[in-house]
């Protein structure tokens, strides 16, 4: 095994937008491939035409691009030696393997109609059991094991529709070693004769998946836990197709759980739990229902990826912040846990905040200015200074305007609570006096404006603590924000004076 070049694949079905659990699967595949200098492939598994959703494939590609985890081979990322990478385009390739299995006695034709299958199911349910198409029941169904060879040929010649099923042995132990879960042992009596090839001429997921993993020389299958029950079947397929020495190593990833630990985080959760479950916005092409994405909510892809990496995997130490390159260095399948990983929306915001803080003021200012039409004409140096002051208070870049609009436009509203509590004859007189003092100041640095503020307090015999908040509200409209005198200095002398005068002229005093 060790001499084979590592090749892994992300193999989503285009049945809807990519859920963040899917992004995590793609991420772990990406990290593993990069760590081992191997290949990461995107294969689109679209054999089930009935579940095809238009736009889903483009969405998957865009999401991987946004996350910065681009495959180096596959749909949307350039053809490698194994093209095509869309299973519907590989259709002619699969039939020969179904036929090989038929010839070798590992598969058989089945002619049962859906009504007949339903009846069999109901009969079984009446006796309190669950129907499985298997070594016992297949004898009473219509297939090439129960019918004579002549009869089978006649049906095929007459164009009757059929499927091809795998012939699971009656009593055999199927074993596989999963990197995360260790040995998995399943009795074949618990497995059913899954359909491998459908009446529409398409292979099912199982056959196509195994054939493609083999043909694309996949060395490691890293996928969600929901596929673990299919793994023994895949092992048998490798064996029956004569590819046993090329079975990939399996790693089945733990589920992503809802924040309360109560069940799996599913696509259907949409925005219902108060946070997005998709990387990008998605509009359902049929229902037009909209679901939000992390990108549009204002998350940085690096923060999103960092957060996802730690959902089910941990680094060797306690470190939590990793660049993609650092994740590649640190990643190992052995440190993925078996148990489900609880998603924590608050922690996700924290990650974004950390990434916001390490961005340079220069970068933030560029992004702020290009995303906010109201400040596009502002002086860049000034925008940068605003960013320096407000970034500590923000989790997202898209909060910058609401946190710092007063650096660009004077407030039109004032915090009602503070005004009600603090605006009176005395405080009004103070603000008027402060405006006059400031007007004649030659130095309006943060330190000096604070000194002048304090001197004015002393002069009028008022405690400065009572007035600081009101002063902030007079110049910004709001109660919270960066260091008050830093903010005042940046707003500038002329503007601060103007705003103080405006407050004195417009705010009404409480009736006596
Ligand atoms: N098409 C499967 C899916 O949608 C792929 C499972 C696998 O990776 O084998 O998740």
């Amino acid at each position: 095994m060790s001499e084979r070049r590592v090749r892994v694949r992300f193999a989503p079905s285009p049945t809807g937008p990519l859920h963040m659990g899917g992004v995590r699967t793609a991420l772990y595949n990406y990290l593993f491939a990069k760590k081992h200098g191997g290949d990461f492939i995107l294969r689109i598994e679209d054999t089930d035409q009935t579940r095809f959703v238009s736009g889903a494939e483009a969405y998957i590609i865009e999401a991987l691009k946004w996350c910065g985890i681009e495959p180096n081979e596959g749909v949307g990322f350039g053809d490698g030696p194994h093209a095509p990478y869309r299973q519907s385009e590989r259709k002619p390739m699969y039939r020969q393997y179904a036929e090989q299995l038929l010839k070798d006695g590992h598969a058989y034709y089945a002619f049962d109609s859906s009504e007949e299958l339903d009846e069999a199911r109901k009969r079984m349910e009446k006796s309190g059991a669950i129907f499985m198409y298997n070594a016992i029941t297949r004898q009473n169904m219509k297939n090439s094991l129960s019918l004579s060879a002549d009869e089978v040929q006649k049906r095929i010649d007459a164009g009757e529709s059929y499927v091809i099923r795998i012939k699971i042995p009656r009593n055999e132990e199927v074993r596989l070693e999963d990197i995360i879960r260790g040995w998995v042992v399943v009795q074949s009596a618990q497995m059913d004769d899954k359909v491998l090839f459908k009446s529409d001429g398409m292979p099912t997921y199982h056959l196509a998946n195994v054939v493609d993993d083999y043909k694309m020389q996949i060395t490691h299958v890293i996928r969600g836990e929901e596929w673990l029950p299919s793994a023994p079947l895949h092992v048998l397929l490798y064996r029956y197709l004569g590819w046993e020495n090329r079975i990939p190593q399996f790693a089945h990833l733990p589920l992503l759980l809802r924040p309360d630990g109560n069940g799996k985080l599913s696509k259907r959760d949409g925005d219902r739990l108060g946070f997005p479950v998709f990387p990008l916005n998605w509009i359902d092409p049929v229902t037009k229902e909209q679901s939000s994405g992390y990108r549009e909510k204002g998350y940085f892809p690096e923060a999103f990826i960092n957060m996802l990496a730690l959902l089910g995997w941990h680094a060797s130490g306690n470190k939590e912040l990793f660049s993609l390159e650092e994740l590649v260095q640190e990643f190992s399948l052995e440190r993925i846990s078996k148990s489900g990983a609880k998603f924590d929306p608050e922690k996700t915001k924290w990650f974004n905040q950390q990434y916001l803080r390490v961005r340079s003021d220069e970068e933030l200012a560029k992004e702020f200015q290009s995303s906010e039409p109201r400040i596009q004409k502002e002086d860049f140096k000034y925008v940068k200074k605003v960013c320096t002051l407000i970034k500590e208070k923000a989790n997202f870049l898209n909060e910058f305007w609401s946190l710092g609009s007063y650096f660009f436009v004077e407030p039109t509203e004032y915090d009602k609570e503070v005004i009600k509590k603090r605006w009176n004859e005395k405080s009004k007189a103070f603000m008027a006096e402060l405006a006059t003092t400031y007007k004649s100041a030659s130095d309006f640095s943060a330190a000096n404006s604070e000194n002048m503020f304090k001197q004015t307090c002393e002069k009028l015999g008022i405690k400065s603590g009572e007035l600081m908040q009101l002063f902030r509200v007079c110049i910004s409209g709001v109660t919270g924000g960066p260091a008050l005198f830093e903010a005042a200095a940046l707003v500038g002398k002329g503007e601060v004076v103007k705003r103080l005068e405006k407050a004195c002229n417009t705010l009404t005093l409480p009736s006596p």
Side-chain angles (χ1 to χ4, degrees):
M1 265 311 203
S2 56
E3 71 280 5
R4 285 176 72 191
R5 179 182 172 82
V6 164
R7 283 176 60 80
V8 295
R9 83 302 191 269
F10 178 49
S13 298
T15 54
L18 193 56
H19 171 252
M20 64 179 157
V23 181
R24 187 195 59 175
T25 302
L27 172 65
Y28 287 4
N29 274 283
Y30 173 93
L31 297 176
F32 187 73
K34 296 294 161 206
K35 167 131 196 184
H36 296 280
D39 299 317
F40 172 43
I41 295 150
L42 175 65
R43 182 170 75 221
I44 298 290
E45 299 208 326
D46 57 350
T47 54
D48 190 350
Q49 308 275 301
T50 59
R51 297 183 58 218
F52 180 83
V53 173
S54 120
E57 182 187 294
Y59 180 99
I60 292 165
I61 294 168
E62 202 184 332
L64 296 180
K65 284 187 178 161
W66 178 67
C67 292
I69 50 171
E70 300 199 12
N72 53 309
E73 217 176 288
V75 179
F77 295 94
D79 282 351
H82 303 278
Y85 293 88
R86 219 177 258 117
Q87 288 185 329
S88 57
E89 289 172 31
R90 300 170 67 79
K91 186 175 169 185
M93 217 174 280
Y94 304 109
R95 185 157 190 120
Q96 56 178 304
Y97 298 105
E99 273 165 9
Q100 183 187 329
L101 292 168
L102 282 167
K103 188 165 73 52
D104 296 341
H106 294 304
Y108 59 91
Y109 295 107
F111 301 95
D112 318 277
S113 65
S114 47
E115 293 76 32
E116 286 164 336
L117 286 168
D118 273 352
E119 256 170 50
R121 240 172 249 131
K122 278 188 200 134
R123 263 202 312 275
M124 204 58 129
E125 271 164 24
K126 260 191 205 146
S127 61
I130 292 173
F131 176 76
M132 285 214 297
Y133 209 116
N134 62 15
I136 298 171
T137 60
R138 69 167 87 109
Q139 296 167 27
N140 304 317
M141 303 300 289
K142 282 191 195 136
N143 54 55
S144 55
L145 299 176
S146 65
L147 303 170
S148 71
D150 270 1
E151 171 76 19
V152 169
Q153 200 52 51
K154 241 191 264 159
R155 285 176 183 253
I156 291 174
D157 292 345
E160 192 171 314
S161 82
Y162 61 80
V163 298
I164 297 173
R165 287 182 182 271
I166 187 168
K167 187 179 166 196
I168 297 284
R170 186 162 180 174
N171 276 317
E172 217 177 84
E173 204 170 72
V174 186
R175 300 160 67 85
L176 65 110
E177 194 177 5
D178 185 277
I179 297 173
I180 299 167
R181 276 141 223 284
W183 281 101
V184 176
V185 182
V186 175
Q187 302 302 324
S188 68
Q190 308 298 321
M191 298 166 66
D192 56 352
D193 292 356
K194 283 266 182 307
V195 173
L196 300 177
F197 207 79
K198 296 178 286 182
S199 51
D200 64 2
M202 275 287 206
T204 56
Y205 154 72
H206 302 292
L207 181 66
N209 186 271
V210 165
V211 167
D212 285 346
D213 282 348
Y214 171 75
K215 295 193 81 109
M216 295 180 179
Q217 300 175 5
I218 298 303
T219 54
H220 297 76
V221 165
I222 305 167
R223 63 183 171 194
E225 182 181 275
E226 63 274 28
W227 300 103
L228 186 60
S230 302
L233 170 67
H234 298 175
V235 167
L236 286 183
L237 280 172
Y238 273 96
R239 187 179 303 162
Y240 296 158
L241 286 164
W243 302 334
E244 201 155 19
N245 62 347
R246 294 274 303 280
I247 296 186
Q249 286 185 260
F250 291 102
H252 287 92
L253 308 175
L255 292 177
L256 286 195
L257 304 175
R258 293 179 175 176
D260 60 3
N262 214 345
K264 180 181 157 188
L265 190 62
S266 95
K267 277 190 187 183
R268 284 177 295 280
D269 286 327
D271 292 298
R272 263 164 274 185
L273 300 174
F275 54 83
V277 297
F278 301 122
L280 321 175
N281 275 1
W282 168 256
I283 302 176
D284 187 288
V286 179
T287 63
K288 304 289 174 223
E289 193 190 335
Q290 301 200 10
S291 311
S292 66
Y294 283 87
R295 180 178 67 182
E296 291 78 3
K297 286 269 182 202
Y299 282 84
F300 296 121
E302 307 92 292
F304 180 62
I305 283 300
N306 192 158
M307 172 281 293
L308 274 183
L310 294 175
L311 276 183
W313 171 84
H314 64 92
S316 48
N318 292 330
K319 187 171 146 152
E320 288 187 293
L321 295 173
F322 293 93
S323 66
L324 195 56
E325 293 71 37
E326 288 170 327
L327 286 172
V328 168
Q329 292 313 316
E330 278 281 322
F331 190 72
S332 88
L333 292 173
E334 285 71 22
R335 278 205 306 274
I336 293 176
S337 65
K338 285 197 201 48
S339 48
K342 255 193 253 173
F343 175 67
D344 181 347
E346 289 312 311
K347 186 80 192 221
T348 306
K349 286 185 196 149
W350 177 85
F351 273 107
N352 210 65
Q353 187 188 45
Q354 303 310 305
Y355 278 85
L356 191 123
R357 288 188 181 169
V358 297
R359 292 235 164 168
S360 71
D361 297 341
E362 179 102 7
E363 278 173 286
L364 289 173
K366 271 189 200 148
E367 289 180 54
F368 183 27
Q369 200 159 27
S370 65
S371 63
E372 180 48 67
R374 286 169 283 199
I375 60 166
Q376 260 148 24
K377 293 208 177 79
E378 296 286 344
D379 173 48
F380 182 72
K381 281 205 195 109
Y382 181 72
V383 176
K384 204 171 129 187
K385 284 184 188 154
V386 172
C387 289
T388 312
L389 282 188
I390 59 179
K391 72 174 185 183
E392 291 301 315
K393 300 280 165 194
N395 289 333
F396 299 96
L397 195 72
N398 61 22
E399 293 168 345
F400 276 30
W401 176 255
S402 63
L403 286 171
S405 63
Y406 59 86
F407 286 104
F408 306 99
V409 288
E410 62 178 22
T412 48
E413 281 175 31
Y414 301 93
D415 185 276
K416 289 195 180 61
E417 291 293 305
V418 173
I419 297 302
K420 199 169 144 204
K421 196 161 157 210
R422 301 246 183 252
W423 191 251
N424 50 39
E425 290 287 358
K426 209 168 152 194
S427 60
K428 182 178 170 178
F430 173 86
M431 295 303 164
E433 178 72 23
L434 188 65
T436 313
T437 312
Y438 279 166
K439 211 184 273 180
S440 59
S442 54
D443 169 3
F444 198 68
S445 62
N448 209 40
S449 64
E450 184 169 5
N451 279 339
M452 289 185 279
F453 186 93
K454 285 187 180 147
Q455 284 157 12
T456 314
C457 286
E458 273 166 31
K459 187 172 163 195
L460 299 190
I462 315 179
K463 281 198 193 112
S464 67
E466 288 174 22
L467 291 167
M468 301 260 272
Q469 196 186 35
L470 185 63
F471 174 52
R472 186 190 285 281
V473 169
C474 287
I475 59 171
S476 74
V478 292
T479 53
L484 177 56
F485 295 100
E486 297 284 341
L490 189 57
V491 168
K493 180 177 119 171
E495 192 61 32
V496 168
V497 169
K498 204 173 113 206
R499 292 182 189 186
L500 286 174
E501 287 171 350
K502 182 183 168 193
C504 291
N505 292 332
T506 55
L507 286 171
T508 44
L509 289 167
S511 34

